[in-house]
Amino acid sequence: MPFLSETPDITTKNPLMALVIGNTMLSTIPGVSGAGPSPEKTLLTPNLDAELVATGAITSVPARPNTPTGCPTPASITRSMMELTGRAPLFINAGLVHQPAVPCLDVYGSPGGDPRRGDAVPLAGDLFRRGEMVGRLLSQCSDLLVLGECVPGGTTTALAVLRALGYEASVSSSYVENPVTLKEEICREVLARIEAAGVHEPLDILRLAGDPMMAVAAGIASTYGGRVLLAGGTQMLAVAAVLKELGHEPPHLATTVYVRDDPSATFARTVGEVGTVAYYVDPNFAHLGHVGLARYCIGEVKEGMGAGGAMVLAHLMGFTPDEIARTVFDFVSAYS
Amino acid sequence: MPFLSETPDITTKNPLMALVIGNTMLSTIPGVSGAGPSPEKTLLTPNLDAELVATGAITSVPARPNTPTGCPTPASITRSMMELTGRAPLFINAGLVHQPAVPCLDVYGSPGGDPRRGDAVPLAGDLFRRGEMVGRLLSQCSDLLVLGECVPGGTTTALAVLRALGYEASVSSSYVENPVTLKEEICREVLARIEAAGVHEPLDILRLAGDPMMAVAAGIASTYGGRVLLAGGTQMLAVAAVLKELGHEPPHLATTVYVRDDPSATFARTVGEVGTVAYYVDPNFAHLGHVGLARYCIGEVKEGMGAGGAMVLAHLMGFTPDEIARTVFDFVSAYS
C-alpha cells in the first residue's frame, strides 16, 4: 500500500499545525464516545491531548496517553510528528469545560450543549466571526494551515450537521463497534428539532446541532489566506460541508486510511458529494511490532487530534514514510 | 525634532505586533491609575483596548476610546498603525478579571493581587514557562516581535520590581500629576515584604511584587528566536531588567518621547543602567490640530498598548512620519 493515497499539490515554506479543541456535552452520554475512561472524563480529553502534543508528556493529572482499551492516543502520533518536524503546534480553545494546562488561542466560547435539549452552540455566529479573526491572524505567519481537532462526541454532532445539510452520511467512531444505533437515535431527535425550527442556513444548523469546534474551524478556514488542509475524519468533513454551503471552496482533507476503511461510515463517498479531496495516509501500523498501534488497523481509534494530517505534513516537509512510522513507534514505545 | 531618536538596526520581512494584557488589583486603589473612568473600571481597560485595536471600535460596552480627561487612548494610536501597516495584532491574555471580547493567546493566568497583602503573582514561575512556550511558537511565524502591554496600575508594580532589582528608578504615569507619594508609599510596603522574605531571584521578585504581564512577557522574550522590541515605557523596562537579571541580553525598547520627557520619572537613566537602548518616537502631536492628541505633549497618557512601538514598527515598514501622524489624526478625528 502507498503511504499516501495521492500526493497533495502543496509546497510549503512555513506550515502551521493548529488544533481546535472543544467539548460537546453529548460525550457525557454513556456509549457515545470512547475518548476517555468514563463518559464524564471524556470532557478532559482535549486538555490532556493538548498537553501531550505541546510538551510530550501529561503531568497535570496522573494519566498515560493510552485509550481506555490500551491503544496509544492519536495525540501521541501528532506529538511525535511535532518532534520529527520541529514545528510548534498552536491550540485553539473553541469552548472547553476544563481550563487547559498549556497556552491556547482562546476565542472565549463555551462547551456545546446537548442538541436534543436546546441550541447546542447559541453563539455559533459569534464563534464563526472570531474564527474569521483567527484566520486572518494566522494568514500573516504561515502559508499552509493543517487544521485538526479534538472534540469527544464530535462524530455525533458531525453526523447531525451533515444530515441537516442534506448528506446521507454515516460517520466514523473511535470504537471498534461503532455505536450506530445510539448515534442514529440522537440524530433523529436533533433533525426533528431542526425541521421544526425551519432552519436551513449552515450557521443556524451549527447553532442548533453542532459543536463550538465546527463554528470556529469554519471561520478560520474561511479567511485563511494560504492553503488549508483539514486534518481529520468525519468531523472535519462536516466543517468542509459547512464551508461549501457558505459559498467557499471546501478545503481538502487529510486523514488515515482507518477512517476511509471504516465499514460503518461513508467517508469517501461523502467527501465526493461535498466536492472535495481527501488524502489518506497509511502509516503501516500493522507491521511496526507494537500491539497498541496495530489495533488501529482493526478499527480502533482511527484518527484524532489531527494525527493523519500531522503525518501528511511531515511527509510534505520531506520525511520518509519509514522515518514517520519509526518516530511514532519510538515515541509510544517510550511509555507503553 | 526627529521622528525617531535613532534608527534601529532592524530589518524585518514578517513582523508581529503582540500585546500582553493583564490586571493588577493595585489599579483599584483610588489614585493609582488614570486608565479608566473609576478605580474599579480600570480593570476593564485592557479588554476595551484589545477590542479597539483588533476591530477598530468598541461595541461590547457603551464606551468611547477616550481617557477620562478626553484624550484619545494610546490604543487608538496602536489601532491606526495596524490599519496603516495592514498587520493583524496578537493579544496575549496574561491574567484578566473580565473575559475578553476578542480572541487572545491565553496562558490561563490570574489577575495580579495587591503585593502589600500577599504574593502578587503566586504562579509567576509557571506563567514565565508558559511565556517561554509562546515565545517558541511565535518564533516560527515572525522575525520581529514588537511586544507591548496594557496593565492599568502596572507602573506601580514596575516601580517595585525595578527597586527590588536594585535600580533607583522613579516611574512614569498616565496622570499629568504623577501620584508619586501614593506609589512610593505602596512601594515602601512591598519592598519591606520582599526584604522580610529574603528574596533576590527575579522570578521570586515577580511573584511577590510584579504582575502577570511581566512574567509572561519575560518568558516570551527569553525564547523568541528573532528580534524583540519591547514596546512601552517603565513597565517594559521592568521586563528588560528582569531578563537581564535572568542572564539574557535585555531587548531594546521603543516608546514615545512623552515617557522620556516625564520629569517625575527617570526612564532614560534607568535604560542606561539596565544596559539597553530605547528608541523614542516623536509623532509631533502638538502640531496636528487635535486638542486631545496635543495634550500628550503636556504629559497626559504618554504611552500604552504598545503605541510608541506600533509607530516605530510602521516606520520600519517604510511609512513616513507624516503618513503615521496623519493616520493617527484621521482615526481619532473620526470619533472625537
Side-chain angles (χ1 to χ4, degrees), chain B residues 126-142:
Chain B
D126 286 348
L127 287 190
F128 181 84
R129 280 181 288 279
R130 290 183 186 186
E132 288 180 316
M133 295 176 69
V134 172
R136 280 187 286 268
L137 179 66
L138 302 184
S139 296
Q140 73 188 18
C141 51
S142 59

Side-chain angles (χ1 to χ4, degrees), chain A residues 14 16 54-55 87-90 93 99-108 130 133-134 137 140-141, chain B residues 14 16 54-55 87-90 93 99-108 130 133-134 137 140-141:
Chain A
N14 198 15
L16 177 64
T55 68
R87 304 304 291 179
L90 172 68
N93 182 346
Q99 188 175 87
V102 295
C104 297
L105 192 49
D106 200 322
V107 298
Y108 301 107
R130 290 182 187 188
M133 294 177 70
V134 172
L137 179 67
Q140 72 188 17
C141 51
Chain B
N14 197 16
L16 177 65
T55 68
R87 304 303 291 179
L90 172 69
N93 182 347
Q99 188 176 87
V102 295
C104 297
L105 192 49
D106 200 323
V107 297
Y108 302 107
R130 290 183 186 186
M133 295 176 69
V134 172
L137 179 66
Q140 73 188 18
C141 51

Side-chain angles (χ1 to χ4, degrees), chain A residues 32-280:
Chain A
V32 165
S33 171
S38 72
E40 199 55 41
K41 285 184 175 170
T42 58
L43 295 174
L44 193 61
T45 296
N47 302 46
L48 302 184
D49 276 5
E51 188 183 354
L52 181 73
V53 174
T55 68
I58 296 170
T59 58
S60 64
V61 297
R64 292 173 80 188
N66 282 331
T67 67
T69 58
C71 289
T73 60
S76 308
I77 300 172
T78 308
R79 169 64 193 181
S80 61
M81 291 303 98
M82 296 299 100
E83 293 187 2
L84 181 63
T85 60
R87 304 304 291 179
L90 172 68
F91 305 96
I92 298 160
N93 182 346
L96 289 167
V97 169
H98 301 289
Q99 188 175 87
V102 295
C104 297
L105 192 49
D106 200 322
V107 298
Y108 301 107
S110 302
D114 182 338
R116 299 172 304 178
R117 310 272 172 261
D119 283 2
V121 189
L123 302 177
D126 287 347
L127 287 190
F128 181 83
R129 281 182 288 279
R130 290 182 187 188
E132 287 180 316
M133 294 177 70
V134 172
R136 280 187 287 268
L137 179 67
L138 302 184
S139 296
Q140 72 188 17
C141 51
S142 60
D143 60 0
L144 169 65
L145 180 64
V146 181
L147 191 62
E149 58 69 38
C150 179
V151 183
T155 55
T156 303
T157 49
L159 179 65
V161 166
L162 284 168
R163 294 270 178 86
L165 289 170
Y167 299 95
E168 281 177 49
S170 304
V171 299
S172 201
S173 162
S174 59
Y175 283 117
V176 180
E177 298 293 327
N178 194 343
V180 172
T181 315
L182 178 58
K183 287 184 180 182
E184 289 289 350
E185 239 175 67
I186 294 170
C187 196
R188 232 185 339 267
E189 285 189 59
V190 174
L191 289 171
R193 276 196 68 240
I194 291 175
E195 194 164 352
V199 147
H200 299 286
E201 292 298 315
L203 293 183
D204 286 329
I205 290 171
L206 289 187
R207 176 167 56 81
L208 266 73
D211 59 53
M213 178 283 289
M214 290 182 191
V216 174
I220 293 171
S222 71
T223 57
Y224 184 73
R227 186 76 180 263
V228 176
L229 206 47
L230 295 177
T234 34
Q235 296 173 248
M236 295 321 271
L237 181 54
V239 172
V242 165
L243 284 161
K244 185 194 185 183
E245 200 66 18
L246 288 168
H248 295 277
E249 187 76 24
H252 291 187
L253 293 115
T255 187
T256 64
V257 291
Y258 315 123
V259 168
R260 180 192 62 193
D261 299 341
D262 181 349
S264 65
T266 57
F267 186 78
R269 198 186 73 203
T270 311
V271 167
E273 288 168 5
V274 172
T276 186
V277 172
Y279 308 103
Y280 301 101

Side-chain angles (χ1 to χ4, degrees), chain B residues 19 45-60 63-66 72-80 82-83 89 91 101-102 305 331-332 335:
Chain B
L19 296 152
T45 296
N47 302 46
L48 302 185
D49 277 4
E51 189 183 354
L52 181 72
V53 174
T55 68
I58 297 169
T59 58
S60 64
R64 294 172 78 187
N66 283 329
T73 60
S76 308
I77 299 172
T78 307
R79 169 62 194 182
S80 61
M82 296 299 99
E83 293 187 1
F91 305 97
V102 295
M305 206 61 178
F331 183 78
V332 304
Y335 69 78

Side-chain angles (χ1 to χ4, degrees), chain B residues 1 45 64 156 301 303:
Chain B
M1 298 300 278
T45 296
R64 294 172 78 187
T156 303
V301 190
E303 170 63 289

